[in-house]
Amino acid sequence: MTIPGKEIYPRRGDKETIYLKNVITDPNIEIGDFTMYNDFVNDPVLFEKNNVLYHYPINNDRLKIGKFCSIACGAKFIFNSANHSLSSLSTYPFPLFYEEWGLDIKNVTDSWDNKGDIVIGNDVWIGYEAVIMSGVKIGDGAIIGTRALVTKDVPPYTIVGGVPAKAIRKRFSDDVISCLLEIRWWNWSREKIAENITAIQTGNIKLLKEAAGK
């Protein structure tokens, strides 16, 4: 019997949608439970190869995605080796071709600027062909619009879109956002989430607070 949340294809007959955590092999990629990825162009199982780009072990940079996130087809995560150094007078990555130019192999990473990890919160929706750049942190409950280019941090429960992405609006009032961030329903057991799924879907914050004992 398949354990809920542990299967690769959670929807019967659907080979385009996967629980992402269950196909990840790279130790520098961390995915939360029930986070889903849909791809109708390529095999979604190849997410590491097709969607996590310029992510090389030499940098030790990490992709962290929380629980219950929804990632649409073609979303890309661009890591540090794509950031050609801006401190040089040239953007050409001379240290990468150390043999050609007689440079020290130890300085290969001088070819690019390291801006850090990409960290995605819980219950985040990333739209079709959105691009998330290195060093970006996206808060819980945020929504990233279709083909948005995210170059800066996104606050929790904020909708962003455009190139570069800018805030469009908050999803809820500040009081509701604070309550959701305190409750953190995504950390509940599967059974407790199932018991309160109607309250989550209908936006009944009062019932959620009661379930959380707040």
Side-chain angles (χ1 to χ4, degrees), residues 121-191:
N122 304 278
D123 193 25
V124 173
W125 175 17
I126 300 177
Y128 175 72
E129 291 189 344
V131 176
I132 318 297
M133 299 302 292
S134 58
V136 166
K137 294 177 175 58
I138 297 176
D140 297 325
I143 296 176
I144 310 303
T146 295
R147 290 179 173 162
L149 173 61
V150 185
T151 61
K152 297 181 179 179
D153 292 353
V154 179
Y157 290 96
T158 300
I159 302 172
V160 302
V163 179
K166 296 181 180 180
I168 297 172
R169 64 178 175 85
K170 294 181 179 180
R171 292 180 58 195
F172 309 113
S173 69
D174 288 341
D175 288 344
V176 170
I177 291 174
S178 295
C179 187
L180 287 167
L181 293 175
E182 183 180 2
I183 290 173
R184 298 176 64 82
W185 63 263
W186 43 82
N187 286 335
W188 291 354
S189 68
R190 186 181 184 279
E191 292 72 23

Side-chain angles (χ1 to χ4, degrees), residues 26-50:
D26 187 334
N28 284 325
I29 300 178
E30 178 182 327
I31 309 293
D33 294 337
F34 298 103
T35 284
M36 54 153 283
Y37 174 60
N38 173 269
D39 198 322
F40 51 83
V41 177
N42 299 300
D43 184 350
V45 172
L46 299 178
F47 177 85
E48 285 180 337
K49 175 183 178 182
N50 295 332

